Amino acid sequence: MPRISGAEPFLLSRESHHEKLHPHNSAVTIPLVCRRWLNVCTPLIYEAVLLRTRQQVRCLARTLVSDYTLGRNIRRLKIEGGMGVPVNKILHFTPNVTHLLVELVGDREDSTLGLRLGLESINPERVTLLHRTIPRYNRRMSPLVGELCEYIPKWTNLTTLRYPYNRSPTLSSKDLTAAMEKMPNLHTLYVPCGYSIDTTLLVSLLGRLGERVKRIYSETPLVINSDSRMFLTVDDFAKLRSKVLFPVPGPWATRPYSACARDDGYVIHTVPNSIDID
């Protein structure tokens, strides 16, 4: 099972370029040295798991059914495909997951139903939801989003959420925003673009949800355009502006973030902010 790189502070990232060129250096091969190394490395191998295909999902589900203790080592779980009953089994045997990433992409052969029992078994601290499909509203993923919206408010450990939608609202974004308003301990959000937030989420952040959310991290740097000018000049956004942090451009190993401060509608200053979001 491939291990996920920890270079990205929040999102579970893909394997590094070095690991692809030199697979013999990966953590998967280390346990082959001897049995003692196997006992030491097994928890490390299962600490972060990336699932991209139905075959990987079924393989991990069979492994955990045969030895459920392995699932207790999984802390970071990224699911890119292969939704359905096998994922439900995986979630059932991984009660210690702290970071959960789910890509909202449906395959014709995938069933997105049957995750209820699995979602009941976990209580993650950070959840990342990705949505890369075009059109943005994918009818096949509607049942999955519905199940997530039902159980996310019940996760009392959840403090950080990556919101998947940008700009125009969808039926799924409305359901997700309604679920976010019920999360008891949510205080940090990640959004695709900090100055062009989904209007459904924006209304909620200017209301009840904004009272609990302390920081909003934008994945897009702050640039000068019509959307950013409106965000920086409209008085109604003043309280929200103080919470939004934008990535600082540059070749950073770990990208720093900065808050924006406005002198007028066209001049933007960045205030360095060394925040540990790991």
Side-chain angles (χ1 to χ4, degrees), residues 141-159:
M141 298 312 299
S142 181
L144 173 60
V145 175
E147 290 186 334
L148 288 171
C149 292
E150 179 181 352
Y151 286 96
I152 280 179
K154 301 178 183 179
W155 292 340
T156 56
N157 291 338
L158 181 58
T159 61

Side-chain angles (χ1 to χ4, degrees), residues 31-33 36 44 61 74 86 109 113 119 140 145 170 176 191 194 203 217 220 227 235 248 259 264 271:
L32 301 178
V33 174
R36 180 177 298 179
L44 299 178
I74 298 177
E109 300 183 17
L113 297 174
L119 295 175
R140 292 191 55 80
V145 175
T170 66
L176 181 57
V191 295
V203 172
Y217 291 94
T220 304
D227 290 335
D235 292 337
V248 178
D264 54 51
V271 181

Side-chain angles (χ1 to χ4, degrees), residues 66-236:
S66 61
D67 187 356
Y68 68 92
T69 61
L70 294 175
R72 297 175 181 175
N73 298 315
I74 298 177
R75 298 293 188 272
R76 296 169 174 258
L77 179 61
K78 179 175 181 179
I79 306 173
E80 290 187 350
M83 292 294 180
V85 176
V87 173
N88 181 32
K89 294 181 180 179
I90 292 173
L91 294 175
H92 180 72
F93 289 111
T94 55
N96 298 325
V97 166
T98 59
H99 294 61
L100 175 66
L101 187 149
V102 178
E103 185 165 356
L104 305 178
V105 177
D107 192 326
R108 292 182 179 180
E109 300 183 17
D110 287 343
S111 172
T112 60
L113 297 174
L115 299 183
R116 294 180 180 272
L117 293 178
L119 295 175
E120 287 181 346
S121 303
I122 62 176
N123 192 1
E125 299 173 7
R126 305 187 180 193
V127 173
T128 302
L129 300 179
L130 299 180
H131 197 283
R132 301 189 180 115
T133 57
I134 299 176
R136 291 169 59 248
Y137 179 62
N138 187 340
R139 292 183 180 273
R140 292 191 55 80
M141 298 312 299
S142 181
L144 173 60
V145 175
E147 290 186 334
L148 288 171
C149 292
E150 179 181 352
Y151 286 96
I152 280 179
K154 301 178 183 179
W155 292 340
T156 56
N157 291 338
L158 181 58
T159 61
T160 304
L161 177 73
R162 196 272 183 182
Y163 187 79
Y165 305 110
N166 192 19
R167 301 285 301 191
S168 302
T170 66
L171 294 177
S172 296
S173 66
K174 295 177 181 179
D175 294 339
L176 181 57
T177 301
M180 291 166 58
E181 294 179 350
K182 302 176 184 178
M183 299 177 189
N185 299 314
L186 180 67
H187 58 67
T188 302
L189 279 180
Y190 282 76
V191 295
C193 184
Y195 58 81
S196 181
I197 300 175
D198 181 307
T199 54
T200 303
L201 176 61
L202 180 62
V203 172
S204 184
L205 288 172
L206 294 175
R208 185 172 60 180
L209 182 60
E211 297 175 359
R212 291 185 286 110
V213 173
K214 305 303 181 184
R215 290 171 181 167
I216 303 172
Y217 291 94
S218 172
E219 296 174 355
T220 304
L222 184 60
V223 298
I224 300 296
N225 57 29
S226 58
D227 290 335
S228 63
R229 287 193 182 100
M230 182 177 68
F231 176 77
L232 292 167
T233 56
V234 176
D235 292 337
D236 293 341

Side-chain angles (χ1 to χ4, degrees), residues 237-258:
F237 295 157
K239 184 180 295 185
L240 184 62
R241 279 196 298 267
S242 63
K243 300 178 181 181
V244 179
L245 300 174
F246 294 91
V248 178
W252 308 100
T254 300
R255 185 180 297 276
Y257 286 76
S258 66

